[in-house]
Amino acid sequence: MTRRHVPEPSAGLAGRVALVTGAASGIGAATAHRLAAAGARVAVLDRAFEPARTVAAEITDRGGEARAYRVDVSDGDAVTATVARVVTEFGRLDLACNNAGVPGVLADTADYPPSVWHRVLAVNLTGVFHCLQAELRQMRRQGTGGAIVNTASVAGLRGVPGASAYAAAKHGVVGLSTSAAVEYAAAGIRINVVCPGLVRTPLPTFATADFAAAHPIGRAATPEEIADVICFLLSDAASYLTGAVLPVDGGLAAGTVRP
């Protein structure tokens, strides 16, 4: 019996052009570094331009190719212009990770500040929509397929008391992504979702010691652990995977806390 060749997790990334939003820190920065280490050429996008430039410089110093771009993903025109600039400067777009997000505040629904609600939805859901539209249009024009990963959250799979805006946005990312995955599968464009649990990042979160302990694996993830899954989904090793919603959460979504 001939053994079928199984691609490496980074297969097909070398030389491809990848775009990562929210790439100035945390999961986005780790993903940009992982993609570059696998040979991809990386566009580092973030509203915080100087930290994004630092990430791009770190990649370049290690022999990779990266450029930083300032963009607020809640601004659809800015997203369209930035994706066009990436394509002009890199020549094409093959891969994208839409990761930019904000946490909002901790408040019960009746008391949730409407201004914060609108900002969370604008960045975490509408921002993904803006990016997805621009990326899909470019990949469709190229006619050579592509791969996209959107970052949701375990909050996109279950309710989170006190975080209604965040949970609503992340549930929306799941629905948006799976719908688009079906629409563009025949065009060879794969769209998948990662749903992290608690991740050790510099950004503010709703994390508490009790929340960390609720993860059956017993700890928070590192950004690199989430980035590894994202890079797998973007690679040819996941060539038959589209419309998938993957909890990367140490088992949090799979069970309940033991009494």
Side-chain angles (χ1 to χ4, degrees):
M1 179 177 178
T2 303
R3 183 179 179 184
R4 182 180 177 273
H5 172 67
V6 178
E8 293 297 324
S10 60
L13 295 180
R16 293 189 183 176
V17 176
L19 177 160
V20 183
T21 71
S25 63
I27 294 170
T31 299
H33 278 290
R34 288 287 200 259
L35 288 167
R41 305 159 63 207
V42 185
V44 179
L45 277 62
D46 205 288
R47 187 177 60 168
F49 185 57
E50 289 306 318
R53 285 212 308 179
T54 297
V55 171
E58 290 169 349
I59 290 171
T60 302
D61 289 345
R62 294 172 184 171
E65 182 179 350
R67 299 180 190 179
Y69 301 83
R70 179 189 284 113
V71 68
D72 182 339
V73 297
S74 69
D75 183 338
D77 290 340
V79 168
T80 298
T82 302
V83 171
R85 185 179 163 201
V86 169
V87 173
T88 296
E89 296 181 357
F90 282 92
R92 58 185 299 107
L93 179 65
D94 304 298
L95 313 169
C97 172
N98 298 316
N99 172 75
V102 294
V105 299
L106 195 61
D108 287 347
T109 302
D111 304 311
Y112 205 93
S115 61
V116 180
W117 169 277
H118 290 302
R119 180 60 182 167
V120 171
L121 270 290
V123 174
N124 293 7
L125 178 55
T126 305
V128 174
F129 169 72
H130 289 154
C131 293
L132 200 55
Q133 273 203 321
E135 294 153 3
L136 287 168
R137 287 168 178 166
Q138 176 60 32
M139 291 176 180
R140 187 174 59 185
R141 280 194 295 269
Q142 290 171 185
T144 54
I148 299 170
V149 174
N150 295 326
T151 303
S153 167
V154 69
L157 304 173
R158 57 189 291 180
V160 182
S164 55
Y166 189 81
K170 295 302 186 178
H171 274 75
V173 169
V174 171
L176 169 64
S177 304
T178 52
S179 297
V182 175
E183 293 168 353
Y184 292 92
I189 302 172
R190 298 185 298 103
I191 303 167
N192 293 294
V193 188
V194 292
C195 295
L198 181 60
V199 182
R200 296 198 295 268
T201 77
L203 296 178
T205 68
F206 307 118
T208 64
D210 288 343
F211 182 52
H215 293 64
I217 210 166
R219 62 174 177 83
T222 66
E224 290 74 19
E225 287 176 304
I226 310 302
D228 284 341
V229 177
I230 292 170
C231 290
F232 162 72
L233 291 171
L234 292 173
S235 78
D236 288 350
S239 59
Y240 199 63
L241 200 57
T242 195
V245 181
L246 273 66
V248 191
D249 63 353
L252 183 63
T256 58
V257 181
R258 293 182 181 179

